[in-house]
Amino acid sequence: MAERIAEHPILGVQEKGTPVTFTFDGKEVQGYEGEPIAVALKAAGLMVHRYTKKEHKPRGIFCAIGRCTDCVMVVDGVPNVRTCITPLKAGMKVQTQYGVGAEPFDKQ
């Protein structure tokens, strides 16, 4: 398992919340309530958050402060959610994003 981010550059040091379960691309993942979604994904060894539309290149955590869009994902059906600053809640449905919307990427 990858190492959990201990101190966020903007949110600071956060106390661990209650352990929660959420889904990532249909698989159950564990995290702590209130920590950024990206932190829980990184701790679970899941580093790819989206793929670019034109070249289908993987992206993940880059700035970790909500300024870039490399960590955007589809969260509870809403595309373009910056997961590096969005707090995790129990039962969230987190999905890899393809391009700029919630629709799957057409590789043709």
Side-chain angles (χ1 to χ4, degrees):
M1 182 180 288
E3 190 174 319
R4 178 168 258 101
I5 297 170
E7 184 173 351
H8 189 280
I10 296 297
L11 304 176
V13 177
Q14 294 187 329
E15 293 184 31
K16 284 185 181 177
T18 306
V20 296
T21 300
F22 65 103
T23 61
F24 170 69
D25 289 342
K27 297 177 187 176
E28 285 195 353
V29 180
Q30 303 295 313
Y32 292 99
E33 187 171 24
E35 73 180 343
I37 297 167
V39 170
L41 291 172
K42 181 183 183 309
L46 304 165
M47 299 300 292
V48 176
H49 294 200
R50 71 177 185 97
Y51 289 90
T52 60
K53 184 172 182 171
K54 282 187 178 181
E55 297 182 29
H56 194 67
K57 291 186 177 181
R59 296 291 187 256
I61 300 171
F62 181 70
C63 77
I65 60 172
R67 298 287 297 174
C68 76
T69 58
D70 278 356
C71 72
V72 296
M73 300 182 83
V74 180
V75 178
D76 292 334
V78 178
N80 302 312
V81 174
R82 286 178 167 89
T83 60
C84 68
I85 58 170
T86 301
L88 180 65
K89 296 178 190 170
M92 280 183 150
K93 181 180 177 185
V94 180
Q95 296 172 280
T96 301
Q97 183 163 318
Y98 297 90
V100 295
E103 296 299 317
F105 180 73
D106 184 5
K107 295 179 185 176
Q108 294 178 338

